[in-house]
């Protein structure tokens, strides 16, 4: 066999953090040498993590790509169904079999880490380590995104305040004290169609157009961010105080990973592309209804400077000692919910198999992986791994509510084939959806100790009948790579099948046609309704030339529908689109289907309650 676990397995399985801290980690320099990275292609961050330079792509441009595997899941319970554990477990299983493999996953936000879900480094003996670094600051990428986001927010309010006090001539002289345009200003000149070499040669009318943005404060959609769950900041008023504090206006905070900047970082191809994406960000409109961008505010360059290191993926390792990229963390309900294109591209040049993960259920993250991420990257997936659990399928069959922090009902701990069978349509619909993209599907059953053989066999039978290549029990949590070996062998076989990959919709479809295609083909809605606001936005975005952008549906991850209480595979319903917004920098439009929270709150007993520092050893305790 190939790589073995870097930690001794114990039974019963200890806590995640105990396992991670017992592991004998390989120096990251050893891993980078093994996968073929050169010393000048990495920046070390201590002994066990490093950033990888994008220059490796140029050096390896002629090397063929490895196989590309996306791990997704059925509609989860609020507890999650072990998708990240399975992602890492499949990779560890491939490493156990002696394959050259790379894991590519997102970095978690500190909001969920300290809130309800805890960390996202996997679990049991299928983890990315060092676990504490993974779940906390890592190399500071999320903080860099927050800094760039908030710099733009400050630029908006500053510009409104200055324009309210000063004449256009004063603004022009203040912005161009040496009578010279910056490169960013020249981009605004080109956008406005103004021919000018120096600000002093502008006509009064062109000077007004050039230097007075006249931002409509009611149109501003850009909010500040912070990487903790803080419900009190969802809605705030800024500008309170003296005249120098700016005019008061209502706004709010999002969690940092919900920022459009995080989505753009994950979708960019290089630093130049990221710079263009920062410039295209639309923060609102002028009072005449013209879109105002970060480039218009002359701040896109500085934002990119803050992100120049964050664009490089972070190299870590699994408990099997195989390499892992942890890079970016866009939300999967309002953004694309996948790790970076850059990390995947580098990994595909360095390994024979690359295992990545899409956020939430397959109707969210996987659909966006296929229709957005692959459309932008040009990469073609070879296989989808669909994670399912007996627990989740029983919930979809009508089982009692699954509530974080409360004991599971006995229905989930005892054999109940009737309840399980009633929930199978959810798995079947997800398998059918994945096959609509022309990609083979392998089902991974994340087995819990209370699951019976009869329940497992029922899932296996339904999966094959729905068109999956097969369904295999995953025991990676308890056994690491050895527990994922059978699943890994099935993935290898699926990857050898010929690819017939295709998108769900073409670029030139109208905005409504794209929305309705996703609603019909993925969610199985009978139709879509639009509010007046949504219709007006669709008309505006079409006029502005945004209709060719892909659609990133914003809806609950707890149901195929917009209603989180509707479980299973509902039929005979209509999807309501209440609004639609443009993330032009990221490169997609996102329709809002129901209420979407971009700033989570904390539970009564947050996860941070157990987190502390052992002052004798210096080790973190209580993370999970």
């Amino acid at each position: 066999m190939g790589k073995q676990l870097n930690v001794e397995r114990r039974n019963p399985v200890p806590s995640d953090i105990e396992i991670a801290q017992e592991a004998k980690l390989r120096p990251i320099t050893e891993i980078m040498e093994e996968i073929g990275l050169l010393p000048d292609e990495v920046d070390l961050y201590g002994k066990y993590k490093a950033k990888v330079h994008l220059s490796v792509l140029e050096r390896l441009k002629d090397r063929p790509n490895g196989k590309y595997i996306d791990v997704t899941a059925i509609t989860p319970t609020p507890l999650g169904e072990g998708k990240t554990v399975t992602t890492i477990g499949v990779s560890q299983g491939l490493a156990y079999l002696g394959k050259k493999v790379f894991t590519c996953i997102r970095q978690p936000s500190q909001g969920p880490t300290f809130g309800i879900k805890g960390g996202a480094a996997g679990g049991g003996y299928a983890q990315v380590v060092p676990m504490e670094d993974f779940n906390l600051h890592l190399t500071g990428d999320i903080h860099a995104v927050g800094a760039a986001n908030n710099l733009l927010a400050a630029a908006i309010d500053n510009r409104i305040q200055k324009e309210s006090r000063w004449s256009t001539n004063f603004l022009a002289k203040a912005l161009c004290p040496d009578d010279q345009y910056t490169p960013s200003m020249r981009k605004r000149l080109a956008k406005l169609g103004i021919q000018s070499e120096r600000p002093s040669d502008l006509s009064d009318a062109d000077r007004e157009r050039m230097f007075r943005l006249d931002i409509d404060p009611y149109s501003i959609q850009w909010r500040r961010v912070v990487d903790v769950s803080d419900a009190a900041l969802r809605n705030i008023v800024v500008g309170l105080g003296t005249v120098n504090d700016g005019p008061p206006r209502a706004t709010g905070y999002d969690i940092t990973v919900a920022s459009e900047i995080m989505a753009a970082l994950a979708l960019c191809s290089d630093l130049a592309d990221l710079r263009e994406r920062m410039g295209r960000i639309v923060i609102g409109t002028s009072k005449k209804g013209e879109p105002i961008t970060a480039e218009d505010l002359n701040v896109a360059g500085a934002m990119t400077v803050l992100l120049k290191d964050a664009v490089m993926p972070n190299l870590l390792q699994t408990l099997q000692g195989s390499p892992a990229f942890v890079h970016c963390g866009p939300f999967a309900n309002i953004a694309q919910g996948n790790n970076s294109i850059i990390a995947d591209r580098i990994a595909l040049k360095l390994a024979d198999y690359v295992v990545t993960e899409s956020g939430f259920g397959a109707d969210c993250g996987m659909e966006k992986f296929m229709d957005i991420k692959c459309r932008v990257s040009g990469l073609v997936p070879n296989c989808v791994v669909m994670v399912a659990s007996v627990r989740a399928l029983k919930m979809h069959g009508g089982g009692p509510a699954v509530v974080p922090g409360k004991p599971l009902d006995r229905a989930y701990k005892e054999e109940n084939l009737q309840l399980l069978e009633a929930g199978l349509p959810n798995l079947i619909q997800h398998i059918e959806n994945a096959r609509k993209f022309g990609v083979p599907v392998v089902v991974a059953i994340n087995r819990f100790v209370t699951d019976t053989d009869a329940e497992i066999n029922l899932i296996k039978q339904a999966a094959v009948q729905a068109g999956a290549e097969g369904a295999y029990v995953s025991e990676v949590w308890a056994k690491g790579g050895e527990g994922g070996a059978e699943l890994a062998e099935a993935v290898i076989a699926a990857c050898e099948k010929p690819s017939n990959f295709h998108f769900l919709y073409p670029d030139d479809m109208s905005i409504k046609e794209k929305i309705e295609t996703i609603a019909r083909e993925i969610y199985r809605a009978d139709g879509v309704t639009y509010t007046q606001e949504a219709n007006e936005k669709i008309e505006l975005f079409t006029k502005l030339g945004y209709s060719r952008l892909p659609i990133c549906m914003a809806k609950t991850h707890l149901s195929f529908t917009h209603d989180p209480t509707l479980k299973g595979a509902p039929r005979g319903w209509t999807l309501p689109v209440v609004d639609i917004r443009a993330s032009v920098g990221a490169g997609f439009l996102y329709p809002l289907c129901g209420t979407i929270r971009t700033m989570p709150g904390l539970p009564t007993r947050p996860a941070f309650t157990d987190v502390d520092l052992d002052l004798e050893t210096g080790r973190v305790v209580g993370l999970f």
Side-chain angles (χ1 to χ4, degrees):
M1 289 298 163
K3 294 186 184 300
Q4 301 299 307
L5 279 171
N6 289 341
V7 60
E8 184 178 342
R9 274 172 27 200
R10 289 198 277 147
N11 191 12
V13 177
S15 69
D16 293 350
I17 195 166
E18 285 181 271
I19 292 171
Q21 291 176 343
E22 287 174 5
K24 296 178 181 177
L25 274 62
R26 302 173 65 193
I28 205 68
T29 50
E30 184 179 308
I31 289 176
M32 54 170 270
E33 289 170 5
E34 182 177 275
I35 61 180
L37 289 171
L38 304 177
D40 62 355
E41 291 174 337
V42 299
D43 291 340
L44 298 177
Y45 280 70
K47 296 179 182 178
Y48 303 116
K49 55 185 187 289
K51 276 194 167 291
V52 176
H53 289 246
L54 276 57
S55 59
V56 69
L57 285 170
E58 178 62 25
R59 178 170 68 85
L60 301 178
K61 63 182 179 182
D62 296 326
R63 183 180 291 183
N65 286 346
K67 301 294 185 181
Y68 197 26
I69 301 144
D70 181 46
V71 179
T72 185
I74 63 170
T75 307
T77 70
L79 303 177
E81 302 319 305
K83 180 156 47 65
T84 305
V85 172
T86 305
T87 300
I88 299 165
V90 169
S91 283
Q92 292 188 172
L94 288 164
Y96 178 80
L97 295 175
K99 303 299 181 182
K100 197 173 183 181
V101 61
F102 226 115
T103 311
C104 292
I105 54 178
R106 293 176 297 164
Q107 181 186 355
S109 163
Q110 290 176 168
T113 296
F114 290 133
I116 294 177
K117 289 183 66 176
Y125 291 101
Q127 293 190 53
V128 168
V129 285
M131 184 259 218
E132 304 97 310
D133 294 18
F134 178 103
N135 285 313
L136 300 174
H137 306 287
L138 197 54
T139 58
D141 293 351
I142 292 179
H143 302 312
V145 168
N149 184 104
N150 293 340
L151 181 63
L152 177 53
I156 294 166
D157 287 307
N158 178 65
R159 190 60 173 259
I160 292 172
Q161 196 264 351
K162 295 300 188 290
E163 286 191 15
S164 71
R165 299 189 65 191
W166 307 120
S167 70
T168 302
N169 284 337
F170 182 91
L171 288 170
K173 289 177 181 178
L175 291 167
C176 304
D178 54 0
D179 200 29
Q180 296 288 332
Y181 295 117
T182 65
S184 185
M185 290 177 184
R186 291 195 178 278
K187 290 186 178 184
R188 176 161 172 79
L189 285 170
K191 170 184 171 180
L192 297 173
I194 297 174
Q195 299 291 327
S196 173
E197 289 301 317
R198 294 173 179 274
S200 57
D201 67 29
L202 289 170
S203 66
D204 289 345
D206 283 345
R207 186 176 294 109
E208 185 79 11
R209 292 175 64 209
M210 177 63 189
F211 293 109
R212 189 166 293 279
L213 301 182
D214 201 24
I215 298 169
D216 179 358
Y218 296 103
S219 75
I220 297 170
Q221 61 179 14
W222 198 258
R223 293 155 61 92
R224 287 163 172 82
V225 296
V226 65
D227 193 39
V228 293
S229 296
D230 193 347
L233 292 176
R234 285 173 182 159
N235 299 286
I236 65 168
V237 175
V238 294
L240 298 178
T242 69
V243 66
N244 291 322
D245 300 315
R249 68 178 183 89
T251 181
Y253 271 79
D254 297 333
I255 198 159
T256 305
V257 290
S259 169
E260 182 180 346
I261 293 174
M262 180 63 86
L265 186 67
L267 287 171
C268 76
S269 56
D270 52 33
L271 200 55
D273 183 35
L274 181 63
R275 172 64 181 82
E276 290 299 311
R277 289 174 182 273
M278 292 301 97
R280 293 199 302 264
I281 289 173
V282 175
I283 61 95
T285 67
S286 69
K287 291 174 182 174
K288 293 181 180 178
E290 299 162 338
I292 302 295
T293 66
E295 201 73 78
D296 294 327
L297 286 157
N298 306 317
V299 70
M303 292 162 63
T304 310
V305 168
L306 289 169
L307 299 167
K308 67 180 179 63
D309 293 330
V311 79
M312 295 186 287
N314 305 294
L315 178 64
L316 282 80
Q317 62 189 285
T318 71
L319 284 176
Q320 211 80 26
S322 57
F325 273 145
V326 180
H327 198 213
C328 299
F331 263 20
N333 56 356
I334 64 164
Q336 74 274 27
N338 287 267
N339 71 293
S340 76
I341 287 172
I342 288 172
D344 288 1
R345 280 181 171 159
I346 295 175
L348 285 163
K349 295 298 183 185
L350 295 170
D352 296 327
Y353 295 90
V354 171
V355 184
T356 188
E357 174 192 2
S358 296
F360 292 145
D363 56 315
C364 289
M366 184 205 70
E367 186 273 319
K368 295 170 183 180
F369 171 85
M370 304 291 187
D371 278 325
I372 299 177
K373 185 176 180 181
C374 291
R375 193 184 302 261
V376 173
S377 70
L379 300 173
V380 174
N382 299 98
C383 172
V384 164
V385 176
M386 186 74 65
V387 180
S389 71
V390 170
R391 176 180 70 190
L393 290 171
K394 285 181 176 178
M395 180 194 72
H396 287 296
V402 176
V403 181
K406 292 186 178 181
L408 282 174
D409 189 273
R410 60 184 295 179
Y412 298 108
K413 300 177 183 178
E414 298 174 356
E415 183 175 289
N416 190 327
L417 297 180
Q418 185 176 0
L419 191 62
L420 176 61
E421 187 170 16
L424 287 173
N426 186 272
L427 169 64
I428 292 166
Q429 184 168 324
H430 281 298
I431 293 171
E432 292 172 349
N433 287 349
R435 285 173 51 80
K436 287 183 179 183
F437 293 96
V439 182
V441 181
V442 174
V443 172
I445 305 170
N446 188 26
R447 186 166 193 168
F448 293 86
V449 293
T450 54
D451 300 342
T452 68
D453 289 344
E455 290 173 329
I456 297 296
N457 289 333
L458 188 59
I459 296 175
K460 288 183 175 182
Q461 182 180 2
V464 173
Q465 289 177 349
E469 303 298 308
Y472 303 86
V473 171
S474 172
E475 296 182 286
V476 299
W477 180 80
K479 298 180 180 179
E482 182 182 352
E486 183 185 25
L487 177 60
E489 287 175 343
V491 167
I492 292 169
C495 285
E496 295 306 314
K497 293 213 160 192
S499 177
N500 184 33
F501 176 71
H502 50 269
F503 302 121
L504 199 63
Y505 54 81
D507 290 338
D508 57 5
M509 258 191 182
S510 71
I511 295 172
K512 281 192 173 182
E513 285 175 321
K514 290 174 183 174
I515 293 171
E516 289 159 17
T517 297
I518 296 170
R520 180 180 64 251
E521 297 295 328
I522 302 298
Y523 311 151
R524 305 296 202 277
D526 287 347
V528 179
T529 60
Y530 303 88
T531 62
Q532 181 179 342
E533 184 177 11
N535 276 318
E536 289 172 354
K537 292 276 192 72
I538 289 171
E539 184 178 346
L540 173 64
F541 294 157
T542 302
K543 180 181 176 182
L544 293 173
Y546 301 157
S547 64
R548 291 185 63 84
L549 295 176
I551 297 297
C552 188
M553 300 292 275
K555 74 169 191 70
T556 180
H557 62 290
L558 296 173
S559 171
F560 272 117
T561 75
H562 59 286
D563 182 349
T565 65
L566 295 178
K567 305 300 183 182
R571 296 293 186 271
W573 62 280
T574 301
L575 180 72
V577 173
V578 299
D579 193 7
I580 179 168
R581 297 175 187 171
S583 285
V584 183
F588 52 71
L589 305 177
Y590 62 102
L592 299 175
C593 308
T595 301
I596 301 295
R597 292 288 190 196
T598 53
M599 170 57 83
L602 289 169
T604 303
R605 192 184 193 281
F608 64 64
T609 306
D610 296 315
V611 177
D612 211 326
L613 199 64
D614 184 328
L615 297 177
E616 291 187 6
T617 64
R619 284 186 165 184
V620 175
V621 296
L623 270 181
F624 68 93

PDB file of all heavy atoms in Angstrom, residues 21 132 612-621:
ATOM      1  N   GLN A  21      -3.467  16.743  17.161  1.00  0.00           N
ATOM      2  CA  GLN A  21      -2.285  17.100  17.941  1.00  0.00           C
ATOM      3  C   GLN A  21      -1.382  15.903  18.230  1.00  0.00           C
ATOM      4  O   GLN A  21      -0.202  16.064  18.530  1.00  0.00           O
ATOM      5  CB  GLN A  21      -2.709  17.784  19.241  1.00  0.00           C
ATOM      6  CG  GLN A  21      -3.321  19.164  18.998  1.00  0.00           C
ATOM      7  CD  GLN A  21      -3.843  19.828  20.256  1.00  0.00           C
ATOM      8  OE1 GLN A  21      -4.042  19.176  21.286  1.00  0.00           O
ATOM      9  NE2 GLN A  21      -4.082  21.121  20.187  1.00  0.00           N
ATOM     10  N   GLU A 132      -5.576  23.452  14.064  1.00  0.00           N
ATOM     11  CA  GLU A 132      -5.812  24.767  14.659  1.00  0.00           C
ATOM     12  C   GLU A 132      -5.571  25.872  13.632  1.00  0.00           C
ATOM     13  O   GLU A 132      -6.351  26.813  13.523  1.00  0.00           O
ATOM     14  CB  GLU A 132      -4.901  24.991  15.874  1.00  0.00           C
ATOM     15  CG  GLU A 132      -5.021  23.925  16.956  1.00  0.00           C
ATOM     16  CD  GLU A 132      -3.932  22.878  16.823  1.00  0.00           C
ATOM     17  OE1 GLU A 132      -3.750  22.355  15.705  1.00  0.00           O
ATOM     18  OE2 GLU A 132      -3.270  22.565  17.828  1.00  0.00           O
ATOM     19  N   ASP A 612     -10.078  27.140  24.442  1.00  0.00           N
ATOM     20  CA  ASP A 612      -9.175  27.809  25.392  1.00  0.00           C
ATOM     21  C   ASP A 612      -7.745  27.414  25.046  1.00  0.00           C
ATOM     22  O   ASP A 612      -7.504  26.665  24.093  1.00  0.00           O
ATOM     23  CB  ASP A 612      -9.522  27.415  26.828  1.00  0.00           C
ATOM     24  CG  ASP A 612      -9.215  28.536  27.830  1.00  0.00           C
ATOM     25  OD1 ASP A 612      -8.225  29.270  27.611  1.00  0.00           O
ATOM     26  OD2 ASP A 612      -9.949  28.664  28.827  1.00  0.00           O
ATOM     27  N   LEU A 613      -6.830  27.905  25.855  1.00  0.00           N
ATOM     28  CA  LEU A 613      -5.415  27.630  25.661  1.00  0.00           C
ATOM     29  C   LEU A 613      -4.881  26.911  26.889  1.00  0.00           C
ATOM     30  O   LEU A 613      -5.108  27.342  28.017  1.00  0.00           O
ATOM     31  CB  LEU A 613      -4.653  28.946  25.457  1.00  0.00           C
ATOM     32  CG  LEU A 613      -3.276  28.882  24.813  1.00  0.00           C
ATOM     33  CD1 LEU A 613      -3.358  28.365  23.384  1.00  0.00           C
ATOM     34  CD2 LEU A 613      -2.623  30.257  24.842  1.00  0.00           C
ATOM     35  N   ASP A 614      -4.216  25.774  26.660  1.00  0.00           N
ATOM     36  CA  ASP A 614      -3.521  25.088  27.744  1.00  0.00           C
ATOM     37  C   ASP A 614      -2.229  25.853  27.989  1.00  0.00           C
ATOM     38  O   ASP A 614      -1.291  25.799  27.190  1.00  0.00           O
ATOM     39  CB  ASP A 614      -3.228  23.639  27.342  1.00  0.00           C
ATOM     40  CG  ASP A 614      -2.590  22.841  28.472  1.00  0.00           C
ATOM     41  OD1 ASP A 614      -1.835  23.440  29.273  1.00  0.00           O
ATOM     42  OD2 ASP A 614      -2.832  21.626  28.547  1.00  0.00           O
ATOM     43  N   LEU A 615      -2.177  26.577  29.090  1.00  0.00           N
ATOM     44  CA  LEU A 615      -1.045  27.478  29.337  1.00  0.00           C
ATOM     45  C   LEU A 615       0.259  26.737  29.637  1.00  0.00           C
ATOM     46  O   LEU A 615       1.345  27.302  29.527  1.00  0.00           O
ATOM     47  CB  LEU A 615      -1.380  28.436  30.476  1.00  0.00           C
ATOM     48  CG  LEU A 615      -2.549  29.386  30.188  1.00  0.00           C
ATOM     49  CD1 LEU A 615      -2.853  30.246  31.410  1.00  0.00           C
ATOM     50  CD2 LEU A 615      -2.260  30.258  28.974  1.00  0.00           C
ATOM     51  N   GLU A 616       0.164  25.467  30.011  1.00  0.00           N
ATOM     52  CA  GLU A 616       1.383  24.698  30.268  1.00  0.00           C
ATOM     53  C   GLU A 616       2.037  24.218  28.974  1.00  0.00           C
ATOM     54  O   GLU A 616       3.255  24.220  28.840  1.00  0.00           O
ATOM     55  CB  GLU A 616       1.070  23.508  31.182  1.00  0.00           C
ATOM     56  CG  GLU A 616       0.698  23.912  32.605  1.00  0.00           C
ATOM     57  CD  GLU A 616       0.563  22.693  33.508  1.00  0.00           C
ATOM     58  OE1 GLU A 616       0.878  21.571  33.049  1.00  0.00           O
ATOM     59  OE2 GLU A 616       0.145  22.882  34.671  1.00  0.00           O
ATOM     60  N   THR A 617       1.199  23.795  28.016  1.00  0.00           N
ATOM     61  CA  THR A 617       1.735  23.251  26.756  1.00  0.00           C
ATOM     62  C   THR A 617       1.674  24.249  25.608  1.00  0.00           C
ATOM     63  O   THR A 617       2.348  24.078  24.593  1.00  0.00           O
ATOM     64  CB  THR A 617       0.951  21.996  26.338  1.00  0.00           C
ATOM     65  OG1 THR A 617      -0.412  22.368  26.058  1.00  0.00           O
ATOM     66  CG2 THR A 617       0.985  20.950  27.442  1.00  0.00           C
ATOM     67  N   GLY A 618       0.837  25.288  25.763  1.00  0.00           N
ATOM     68  CA  GLY A 618       0.641  26.243  24.675  1.00  0.00           C
ATOM     69  C   GLY A 618      -0.295  25.751  23.602  1.00  0.00           C
ATOM     70  O   GLY A 618      -0.472  26.401  22.567  1.00  0.00           O
ATOM     71  N   ARG A 619      -0.936  24.609  23.825  1.00  0.00           N
ATOM     72  CA  ARG A 619      -1.825  24.025  22.822  1.00  0.00           C
ATOM     73  C   ARG A 619      -3.249  24.556  22.946  1.00  0.00           C
ATOM     74  O   ARG A 619      -3.732  24.838  24.045  1.00  0.00           O
ATOM     75  CB  ARG A 619      -1.849  22.501  22.942  1.00  0.00           C
ATOM     76  CG  ARG A 619      -0.597  21.827  22.379  1.00  0.00           C
ATOM     77  CD  ARG A 619      -0.750  20.317  22.396  1.00  0.00           C
ATOM     78  NE  ARG A 619       0.249  19.673  21.548  1.00  0.00           N
ATOM     79  CZ  ARG A 619       0.296  18.365  21.327  1.00  0.00           C
ATOM     80  NH1 ARG A 619      -0.592  17.564  21.905  1.00  0.00           N
ATOM     81  NH2 ARG A 619       1.225  17.852  20.535  1.00  0.00           N
ATOM     82  N   VAL A 620      -3.917  24.642  21.804  1.00  0.00           N
ATOM     83  CA  VAL A 620      -5.330  25.007  21.770  1.00  0.00           C
ATOM     84  C   VAL A 620      -6.150  23.804  22.215  1.00  0.00           C
ATOM     85  O   VAL A 620      -5.866  22.659  21.830  1.00  0.00           O
ATOM     86  CB  VAL A 620      -5.746  25.423  20.349  1.00  0.00           C
ATOM     87  CG1 VAL A 620      -7.251  25.698  20.283  1.00  0.00           C
ATOM     88  CG2 VAL A 620      -4.962  26.653  19.897  1.00  0.00           C
ATOM     89  N   VAL A 621      -7.164  24.025  23.013  1.00  0.00           N
ATOM     90  CA  VAL A 621      -8.084  22.958  23.427  1.00  0.00           C
ATOM     91  C   VAL A 621      -9.508  23.386  23.076  1.00  0.00           C
ATOM     92  O   VAL A 621      -9.809  24.574  22.987  1.00  0.00           O
ATOM     93  CB  VAL A 621      -7.982  22.648  24.939  1.00  0.00           C
ATOM     94  CG1 VAL A 621      -6.615  22.102  25.278  1.00  0.00           C
ATOM     95  CG2 VAL A 621      -8.271  23.898  25.766  1.00  0.00           C
TER      96      VAL A 621
END
